[in-house]
Amino acid sequence: MRKVVSISLDENLDSLLIKSAKKQKIAKSEIIKRALVQYFYLNNAKSIRANLQKFAEKAGYLSEDDIYNDIS
């Protein structure tokens, strides 16, 4: 089921949205949907990373370099 959502944008953001939609030949709503999907994906990834960080630290991995050095 589709849901209609209304948002308020400042003039600059609206202008960027319009230009991008025209350039890509897609609807403004499609750009907003894609942005939301990306936002939720990245937010979820950050949450997973934060939850796993404590386990990595207990295993002695204090940085990404530690992981890289171990698997290289």
Side-chain angles (χ1 to χ4, degrees), residues 32-69:
I32 294 168
K33 283 187 254 184
R34 290 177 186 182
L36 284 170
V37 167
Q38 183 177 17
Y39 170 82
F40 291 124
Y41 176 83
L42 292 173
N43 196 46
N44 188 43
K46 286 179 185 178
S47 176
I48 291 169
R49 182 182 178 135
N51 288 333
L52 291 176
Q53 187 172 3
K54 56 188 164 195
F55 297 108
E57 288 173 354
K58 284 182 184 177
Y61 298 108
L62 303 177
S63 70
E64 290 179 4
D65 287 338
D66 293 335
I67 296 169
Y68 179 77
N69 290 335

